[in-house]
Amino acid sequence: MVTCCVLAALAMLPAQAVRGVLATAAASLFEGTPFILAGMLLRALLSRAPGGSARRWSGLVPLLGCGCEGGPSARSLPAALAAAFTFGPLPALLRLAAALIAERILSSRAQGGRPGAAGACEHGEPLVTQFAALLPAGVLAGVVLHLFGGIDLARVPPPVQLLAGIALGFAAAPCALGAVSLAAALHARAAFAATGMLCICGIADLRALLRGHGARVGHDALAYAVAAVALAAVAARGGDALVNPCFTLPLACSAFACAVLAVSHRRAQCARARVAPALMLAGALLGAPVPTYSATETTMTDLFPGERMTFTGTLVHGAGADALVRFAITCCRADAAPVVVRLVRAPPLRSGTWLRADGTIVRAGAELRLQARRIERVAPPGDPFIYR
């Protein structure tokens, strides 16, 4: 279902936007890799524990993947960590608890009243399988970021947003890490839609109710080698404007792990496993343009009149006001959100020009704007994003 949504959405995009979409999908894969590998490492350690300890902790084994094995995918502990990083610990814990309750109910019904039957594969899925499960949702997140970047979705009534998010989460039913990436892309533009999706996706969606398994992608030495090169390149560049620089060390460790997997499975071949790593490498080598902004609301609500401010961003000419815009990233490009500073008066330059404005916040009617004392043209920064 996610794949069908992705293909339909890509068909709506102009060719020049596809590059940005694929880069966002690659960023989602980069962001998810350390969480997936951490779960795989814990699973391996549990499987090697002494007999009594292994039985005691066996219930954690199905929770240590990306949620692609079937059943309520939000049981995934790596996805819960990613959700906590993006949305905060409370939403992450609530989703995890709801998914565990849903799994217990569904397992009881499926096994004739016997609770506790695991819906996930006990031994977990290969890394490349989890890449393949995450890829469609990552591409869809890129579509949301670029297709709706010029649409003010905040104007859609909250109930409509909420129902649309619930419908998307139920029908698309991506893996748990994919759901986090897609919800993050929605959150910057339609917060109620993201909330609706998080409330249903991975808890009581089609994947959980049908308890089906996606097509398995086997180990492939070349796929692991390509992923290792891509991860190392992004780590060496401090995130490469694809992920938050705080991921640099985890990405470097992930590159080493993928290199080890390439050696361990050097005789394995599975052509389908190479798609996601190839996209990661393309994202690392080609980069991507900054998302387009043309919405109308401002993000200056925490400022106050009289506050001094210096801000660097791209000039955007709008119907209501001219503004400087720069995108902020929490985890990766999928959650990129615009930081908008409206100007009292803008210089006669074309949209997209990088400017640095220095001045004072003033009240203009019902909103706040920057009364610039000095505006100067600057070269585009090496990293166009700011990080939270």
Side-chain angles (χ1 to χ4, degrees):
M1 180 63 72
V2 179
T3 303
C4 294
C5 294
V6 165
L7 293 176
L10 282 177
M12 300 172 63
L13 287 177
Q16 62 268 26
V18 173
R19 179 184 167 204
V21 170
L22 297 183
T24 301
S28 298
L29 290 167
F30 284 120
E31 176 198 359
T33 301
F35 296 108
I36 294 173
L37 285 172
M40 293 177 64
L41 177 60
L42 287 174
R43 186 187 302 122
L45 293 175
L46 290 176
S47 67
R48 288 168 173 75
S53 298
R55 285 192 297 273
R56 187 181 307 118
W57 296 103
S58 61
L60 284 178
V61 172
L63 313 183
L64 297 177
C66 73
C68 65
E69 298 95 338
S73 66
R75 295 173 302 153
S76 164
L77 293 178
L81 288 175
F85 196 96
T86 304
F87 299 104
L90 182 58
L93 289 174
L94 290 175
R95 275 177 51 80
L96 179 61
L100 291 173
I101 293 171
E103 169 61 14
R104 187 173 183 84
I105 294 172
L106 293 172
S107 295
S108 298
R109 293 178 178 176
Q111 301 297 326
R114 292 187 292 106
C121 173
E122 184 176 348
H123 302 289
E125 297 283 0
L127 176 62
V128 286
T129 298
Q130 301 189 57
F131 278 165
L134 179 56
L135 179 58
V139 176
L140 195 55
V143 170
V144 170
L145 183 64
H146 291 270
L147 182 63
F148 297 119
I151 303 175
D152 188 6
L153 294 178
R155 293 179 178 268
V156 178
V160 176
Q161 287 191 41
L162 192 66
L163 291 175
I166 290 174
L168 176 63
F170 180 81
C175 70
L177 280 170
V180 172
S181 293
L182 185 52
L186 281 172
H187 188 264
R189 287 149 186 80
F192 287 98
T195 300
M197 182 178 176
L198 287 173
C199 287
I200 194 75
C201 189
I203 300 169
D205 56 19
L206 281 178
R207 178 190 295 269
L209 297 178
L210 297 179
R211 306 180 68 80
H213 295 255
R216 183 182 177 87
V217 178
H219 294 290
D220 182 80
L222 180 59
Y224 288 128
V226 171
V229 172
L231 288 161
V234 173
R237 297 173 184 172
D240 202 22
L242 291 170
V243 296
N244 194 308
C246 70
F247 279 82
T248 298
L249 180 58
L251 289 177
C253 295
S254 298
F256 176 76
C258 286
V260 172
L261 288 171
V263 174
S264 301
H265 300 283
R266 56 187 174 274
R267 299 184 184 279
Q269 294 186 15
C270 179
R272 292 180 58 214
R274 300 167 190 167
V275 176
L279 178 60
M280 295 169 68
L281 183 60
L285 296 179
L286 299 178
V290 178
T292 301
Y293 174 83
S294 59
T296 57
E297 74 275 6
T298 177
T299 57
M300 295 175 61
T301 53
D302 293 332
L303 299 177
F304 56 87
E307 183 175 3
R308 289 290 304 275
M309 183 182 211
T310 299
F311 187 82
T312 300
T314 57
L315 179 63
V316 174
H317 296 294
D322 299 323
L324 295 182
V325 179
R326 195 164 182 180
F327 280 79
I329 285 177
T330 300
C331 291
C332 73
R333 282 179 58 98
D335 60 36
V339 178
V340 184
V341 176
R342 292 187 174 187
L343 301 173
V344 172
R345 184 178 295 104
L349 298 172
R350 67 178 181 178
S351 293
T353 304
W354 279 91
L355 301 174
R356 179 186 294 115
D358 178 71
T360 305
I361 300 298
V362 298
R363 186 170 297 280
E367 62 184 22
L368 299 177
R369 298 192 184 188
L370 178 63
Q371 176 71 62
R373 294 188 302 105
R374 181 179 60 189
I375 298 180
E376 57 182 341
R377 193 168 182 171
V378 296
D383 186 347
F385 297 99
I386 53 180
Y387 299 94
R388 292 171 173 163

